[in-house]
């Protein structure tokens, strides 16, 4: 046992030595390699930059819609009989020009014709021809009114247009007040509705001063007291655009 311990104690560790020059050279080479960029990564970075930058700069410009041109081709056709449907109105319009869209307007609640419609023609010339040939003509005893439509008030308010509409109103001692109007009601709608009960001279929707917002009421003038009485009797509490309107003497 003692001999074994002695042998252990007598064992000398072996010391490995490296030439200092070799170690230094190895360390230097390692440092040099760690600083050198990888060519494959550098190439990938450069390649990716060449493709991304053009896409970030390029933009596609969409042509602006010419809404004015469309509005000048769109005609209002009012005071038509309730029996006239889309097909009949299309045939009537296309006798005088090429049409893109022709549509009779119907009440969404009752399903009845609102006695007017719109036609978008293929050219301004076609629109003018329809106005010239159809305005003032008679269909089933009703005098048809045809003119270029106004720009929609809700989407593109035109205060000068509204002022012109107000100044064009023809007052009369034979006048009715029409209340509880839906915001979508226009003077054309009032003319179309009330012309069923008498000879309408003029109509207008009252609006908040300086804006296109409807105040919810309007006026319709007639040529006689009899027409006023007939309108009140027939249309008071009737539906227009889903709302019961009030009609009385103004």
């Amino acid at each position: 046992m003692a001999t074994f311990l002695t042998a252990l104690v007598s064992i000398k560790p072996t010391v490995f030595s490296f030439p200092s020059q070799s170690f230094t050279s190895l360390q230097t080479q390692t440092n040099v390699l760690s600083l050198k960029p990888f060519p494959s990564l550098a190439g990938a970075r450069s390649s990716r930059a060449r493709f991304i930058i053009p896409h970030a700069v390029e933009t596609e410009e969409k042509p602006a819609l010419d809404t004015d041109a469309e509005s000048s081709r769109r005609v209002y056709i009012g005071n038509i009989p309730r029996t006239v449907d889309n097909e009949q109105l299309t045939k009537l319009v296309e006798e005088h020009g090429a049409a893109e869209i022709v549509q009779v307007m119907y009440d969404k609640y009752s399903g009845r014709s609102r006695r007017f419609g719109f036609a978008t023609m293929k050219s301004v010339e076609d629109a003018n021809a329809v106005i010239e040939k159809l305005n003032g003509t008679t269909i089933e005893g009703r005098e048809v009114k045809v003119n270029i439509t106004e720009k929609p008030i809700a989407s593109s308010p035109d205060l000068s247009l509204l002022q012109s509409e107000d100044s064009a109103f023809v007052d009369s001692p034979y006048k009715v007040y029409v209340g509880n109007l839906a915001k979508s009601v226009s003077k054309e709608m009032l003319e179309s509705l009330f012309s069923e009960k008498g000879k309408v001279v003029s109509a207008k929707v009252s609006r908040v001063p300086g804006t296109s917002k409807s105040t919810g009421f309007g006026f319709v003038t007639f040529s006689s007291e009899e027409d006023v009485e007939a309108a009140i009797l027939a249309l008071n509490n009737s539906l227009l655009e889903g709302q019961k309107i009030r009609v009385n003497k103004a």
Side-chain angles (χ1 to χ4, degrees):
M1 183 65 176
T3 303
F4 177 74
L5 291 173
T6 304
L8 288 176
V9 172
S10 65
I11 295 173
K12 293 182 180 180
T14 302
V15 178
F16 296 93
S17 62
F18 297 93
S20 59
Q21 183 178 359
S22 300
F23 181 79
T24 305
S25 175
L26 179 62
Q27 187 179 32
T28 303
Q29 290 175 7
T30 304
N31 289 340
V32 169
L33 289 173
S34 64
L35 293 173
K36 186 177 181 181
F38 291 101
S40 60
L41 292 177
R45 224 178 263 118
S46 173
S47 175
R48 183 164 58 251
R50 283 197 299 272
F51 287 97
I52 291 175
I53 291 173
H55 287 285
V57 174
E58 288 178 1
T59 57
E60 182 181 353
E61 293 185 2
K62 295 183 179 179
L65 295 176
D66 192 355
T67 53
D68 290 337
E70 183 176 346
S71 65
S72 64
R73 294 183 289 110
R74 192 169 185 253
V75 298
Y76 163 84
I77 308 169
N79 201 33
I80 58 177
R82 290 196 191 279
T83 54
V84 174
D85 58 18
N86 289 336
E87 184 179 355
Q88 292 170 320
L89 189 60
T90 300
K91 287 180 180 178
L92 181 66
V93 166
E94 289 190 333
E95 290 178 5
H96 309 291
E100 288 182 356
I101 302 172
V102 180
Q103 187 176 21
V104 175
M105 305 307 293
Y106 291 89
D107 187 280
K108 61 183 177 181
Y109 296 95
S110 67
R112 294 198 311 166
S113 166
R114 287 156 60 184
R115 293 193 183 278
F116 71 92
F118 298 95
T120 302
M121 309 305 292
K122 289 189 176 180
S123 70
V124 174
E125 291 74 19
D126 288 331
N128 290 334
V130 169
I131 294 170
E132 182 182 349
K133 299 296 183 182
L134 289 183
N135 187 43
T137 59
T138 302
I139 302 177
E140 296 182 18
R142 305 184 70 85
E143 185 178 330
V144 178
K145 297 179 181 179
V146 185
N147 51 52
I148 294 293
T149 60
E150 300 168 353
K151 293 181 181 179
I153 291 172
S155 60
S156 179
D158 188 339
L159 297 182
S160 63
L161 187 64
L162 297 176
Q163 290 169 357
S164 174
E165 177 183 309
D166 190 65
S167 62
F169 177 72
V170 179
D171 209 346
S172 162
Y174 312 115
K175 181 166 63 175
V176 296
Y177 162 89
V178 189
N180 197 37
L181 294 177
K183 300 299 181 185
S184 57
V185 172
S186 65
K187 74 180 186 69
E188 287 87 1
M189 293 182 191
L190 289 180
E191 287 175 351
S192 179
L193 178 66
F194 281 86
S195 63
E196 298 175 17
K197 306 304 173 185
K199 185 172 178 57
V200 172
V201 174
S202 192
K204 74 172 182 178
V205 174
S206 177
R207 302 194 182 276
V208 177
T211 75
S212 62
K213 186 178 179 181
S214 168
T215 57
F217 68 90
F219 299 94
V220 180
T221 56
F222 294 90
S223 59
S224 69
E225 184 66 28
E226 290 76 13
D227 289 338
V228 169
E229 296 293 344
I232 294 172
L233 183 64
L235 296 176
N236 186 40
N237 290 323
S238 65
L239 285 175
L240 178 61
E241 291 289 281
Q243 291 187 193
K244 280 188 175 183
I245 59 174
R246 297 190 303 272
V247 184
N248 50 52
K249 287 185 179 182

